[in-house]
Amino acid sequence: MNIDNSARFGTKAIHAGQSPDPSTGAICTPIYQTSTFVQKSPGEIIGEYDYSRAANPTRTALEANLAALEGGKHGLIYSSGVAATGAVLHLLKSGDHVVLCDDVYGGTNRLFHKVFQQLGIEITLVDMTDHDAAKSAMRPNTKLVWIETPTNPTLKVIDIAVMAEIGKRAGAMVCVDNTFCSPYLQNPLALGADIVCHSLTKYIGGHSDAIGGALITSDDEIHKKLKFVQLSEGAVPGIQECFLFLRSTKTLHVRMDRHCENAEKVARHLEAHTKVEKVVYPGLTSHPQHAVAKKQMRGFGGMVTIYLKGGLGESRKMLETVKIFALAESLGGVESLIEHPGIMTHASVPADQRKKLGIADNLVRLSVGIEDVDDLIADLDRAIG
Ligand SMILES: *Cc1c(COP(=O)(O)O)cnc(C)c1O
């Protein structure tokens, strides 16, 4: 790396973990599309690499880049965000207890409840904006506190510093899924978390063209265990994907600024719309945890959740009428997406839990892209009618 630790975000995004290729001067880290590495003599490797499941130079560059952006010591890259989540769960054993925030990504909820609960992991779902409820959910066998903030899709903002403190006092490891913010807007390690989890598929990748995940930690012990699980399970990404993510992190700060700016304009516009019942966006003063958001986020992100006046009929009409917003799951890409969590991303969440969380028929989730915001607003206005 040709920059030091004092470098700011935009400089790290472009340079951390990477330097021009010493043999050719190539400014971009090459795609080391190789599964194995030739050895000098048995057991005597030439550089640092022997087999690409264990490590690969393109992946190493991405790991160092993301670790620098999160202000962490170690990064590990996975084949998907859920693979990264699963790797953390593999640090636990049967009989261990997890406190999980009640409004997590649908796939995270499914992985905890449908896969790991069957292996003997105990789970308590908690509304982590209620600190008393979170404190009383802790047990002597609580080994992991899993936080996601802002939550999905109701965009509750959880106070990371307070929850990390509660988790640590109970002797648990604290992991924050930072996908919605990306390292540009929020750095959980600095707020007391032990591990940061990302779906690279979203803002970090940013172009809706690759699936990947990452874990970042500054704890040597945790990193060693995670590295062992990764080597043993093999949930590693392809090398081309690593290259795509490395290319994407170079523009992360520029894209995030525009996502935030556009989302805030969309949120303010819709808040004044007569056919919209409620807009949820952490940057609005009407947001119940606006103060927490201001304290721990450097910007309020690109996700906007709205409750339309009416029910499923009105939601359907909007989702079927938009032209620029694409009707699709996922989020965080340059193009704007719209979806219905009740039917799409959160269909795997049990109906009674959906109801409790407020994932209603009139709830529509927007991932505001970086198109011209006036075109986006006109598109939404036409669709809401
Ligand atoms: C998408 C997402 C995941 C899962 O990531 P994949 O890359 O799809 O496996 C986890 N957490 C959040 C918040 C997400 O949005």
Side-chain angles (χ1 to χ4, degrees):
M1 200 195 303
N2 49 10
I3 54 164
D4 60 37
N5 263 342
S6 66
R8 292 168 180 83
F9 193 96
T11 309
K12 283 186 188 166
I14 292 165
H15 297 287
Q18 303 157 83
S19 26
D21 180 48
S23 60
T24 63
I27 198 156
C28 292
T29 300
I31 303 170
Y32 286 92
Q33 193 76 42
T34 186
S35 58
T36 192
F37 298 81
V38 173
Q39 307 196 0
K40 265 190 214 150
S41 63
E44 196 192 337
I45 58 179
I46 292 172
E48 298 160 43
Y49 302 95
D50 57 5
Y51 188 62
S52 282
R53 168 154 43 76
N56 173 285
T58 315
R59 203 168 94 213
T60 303
L62 177 60
E63 288 171 345
N65 183 259
L66 287 174
L69 295 184
E70 275 294 3
K73 203 165 151 192
H74 310 285
L76 286 167
I77 311 298
Y78 295 85
S79 52
S80 67
V82 290
T85 306
V88 175
L89 281 163
H90 274 299
L91 301 185
L92 307 187
K93 57 183 190 322
S94 175
D96 286 350
H97 175 243
V98 179
V99 173
L100 176 64
C101 81
D102 61 357
D103 194 16
V104 280
Y105 174 71
T108 304
N109 192 301
R110 180 174 55 205
L111 180 65
F112 275 77
H113 285 96
K114 297 276 168 67
V115 180
F116 282 91
Q117 193 162 257
Q118 315 217 4
L119 299 175
I121 305 287
E122 297 164 16
I123 302 163
T124 304
L125 282 173
V126 176
D127 175 355
M128 291 186 181
T129 60
D130 180 345
H131 299 149
D132 291 333
K135 268 183 217 155
S136 48
M138 300 294 158
R139 299 187 202 155
N141 61 335
T142 304
K143 292 290 157 59
L144 174 67
V145 172
W146 187 277
I147 303 166
E148 189 182 310
T149 178
T151 65
N152 181 4
T154 61
L155 302 176
K156 285 191 290 201
V157 177
I158 295 164
D159 191 320
I160 297 173
V162 170
M163 271 313 301
E165 174 73 26
I166 293 172
K168 289 252 179 84
R169 214 177 294 147
M173 201 164 57
V174 176
C175 183
V176 177
D177 182 334
N178 202 25
T179 301
F180 269 37
C181 284
S182 89
Y184 183 59
L185 300 183
Q186 178 172 280
N187 299 121
L189 297 179
L191 299 168
D194 298 300
I195 308 174
V196 175
C197 174
H198 280 288
S199 167
L200 302 179
T201 315
K202 314 297 168 52
Y203 289 105
I204 291 177
H207 295 72
S208 310
D209 56 5
I211 302 266
L215 296 175
I216 295 111
T217 182
S218 290
D219 185 310
D220 295 338
E221 267 311 296
I222 290 176
H223 174 251
K224 209 168 122 194
K225 288 182 194 163
L226 288 170
K227 179 93 190 140
F228 176 78
V229 170
Q230 185 182 53
L231 177 70
S232 307
E233 284 202 321
V236 296
I239 312 308
Q240 309 257 359
E241 261 66 15
C242 293
F243 177 83
L244 284 173
F245 291 127
L246 258 183
R247 189 196 53 178
S248 291
T249 54
K250 291 180 172 45
T251 57
L252 180 62
H253 51 304
V254 182
R255 287 185 283 110
M256 288 314 293
D257 277 339
R258 184 59 67 87
H259 280 295
C260 292
E261 192 186 312
N262 282 2
E264 183 153 345
K265 283 185 183 157
V266 165
R268 288 193 194 289
H269 177 81
L270 294 179
E271 200 174 38
H273 200 291
T274 52
K275 293 195 173 164
V276 176
E277 185 183 298
K278 189 167 85 168
V279 176
V280 186
Y281 183 67
L284 297 176
T285 49
S286 60
H287 189 287
Q289 295 94 35
H290 178 61
V292 181
K294 265 201 339 210
K295 185 179 74 165
Q296 70 187 17
M297 298 165 75
R298 286 184 287 269
F300 302 110
M303 301 302 294
V304 177
T305 290
I306 62 174
Y307 290 86
L308 291 169
K309 281 186 185 155
L312 194 56
E314 282 72 13
S315 301
R316 269 195 190 285
K317 181 183 159 281
M318 178 182 187
L319 294 159
E320 287 165 4
T321 312
V322 283
K323 285 189 181 144
I324 299 174
F325 276 83
L327 176 59
E329 299 195 358
S330 198
L331 57 108
V334 291
E335 57 287 278
S336 293
L337 303 180
I338 189 166
E339 69 114 2
H340 190 275
I343 300 174
M344 296 167 67
T345 49
H346 289 65
S348 66
V349 177
D352 57 331
Q353 200 190 328
R354 277 207 306 266
K355 193 164 170 222
K356 218 171 107 195
L357 293 171
I359 306 176
D361 283 345
N362 62 336
L363 186 158
V364 171
R365 190 187 79 178
L366 307 175
S367 171
V368 181
I370 64 171
E371 299 96 336
D372 189 295
V373 71
D374 293 331
D375 290 333
L376 296 179
I377 287 173
D379 193 38
L380 294 170
D381 277 350
R382 188 174 51 237
I384 296 172

